[in-house]
Amino acid sequence: QVQLVESGGGSVQAGDSLKLSCATSGRTFKTYPMGWFRQAPGKEREFVAAISLNDYVTTYADSVKGRFTISRDNAKNTVYLQMNSLKPEDTAVYYCAAEPLGTYKDINYNYWGQGTQVTVSS
């Protein structure tokens, strides 16, 4: 079993930055590619970013490319999402996920956190 706990969300102004963290426990963190997703009110959950297991290759949604950075610290069993130049349209609940069962951008991951709210006001 794997547990994922997100933190770092909050309410900010447009143009500000936030750094989300996802702490993992249970089975070895280092065995899973990791992803971040988000879900805005009334919308489907969507892919934000993902990072591979060993070579730390990253991939991003077009909407966040150049503004968000995903990283992982295997020593701390934690994955991060640095979010810069935030926009009101980034407002959503952000979820981290582990062990994709399909491609990294698919929502089909085996483990999910409970989510953390990010609100960006104009």
Side-chain angles (χ1 to χ4, degrees), residues 17-120:
S17 298
L18 277 176
K19 187 173 185 177
L20 306 184
S21 299
C22 174
T24 70
S25 61
R27 290 183 61 183
T28 304
F29 168 77
K30 291 186 282 294
T31 66
Y32 300 121
M34 301 291 294
W36 283 97
F37 289 75
R38 66 186 182 186
Q39 189 167 18
K43 295 187 177 181
E44 294 185 351
R45 194 170 298 189
E46 65 175 6
F47 169 77
V48 175
I51 187 166
S52 65
L53 174 58
N54 292 318
D55 51 6
Y56 291 25
V57 173
T58 58
T59 185
Y60 298 93
D62 288 343
S63 59
V64 306
K65 202 171 295 183
R67 300 188 298 122
F68 290 11
T69 303
I70 187 172
S71 61
R72 63 191 296 162
D73 185 337
N74 286 350
K76 296 183 178 179
N77 291 345
T78 301
V79 63
Y80 304 97
L81 185 68
Q82 176 68 47
M83 306 185 295
N84 298 329
S85 302
L86 282 161
K87 304 176 181 179
E89 51 264 43
D90 294 320
T91 295
V93 177
Y94 283 72
Y95 299 88
C96 70
E99 193 179 29
L101 301 179
T103 69
Y104 288 176
K105 294 185 178 182
D106 290 340
I107 199 171
N108 195 17
Y109 279 61
N110 208 9
Y111 302 103
W112 291 87
Q114 83 290 347
T116 185
Q117 176 71 46
V118 172
T119 303
V120 185

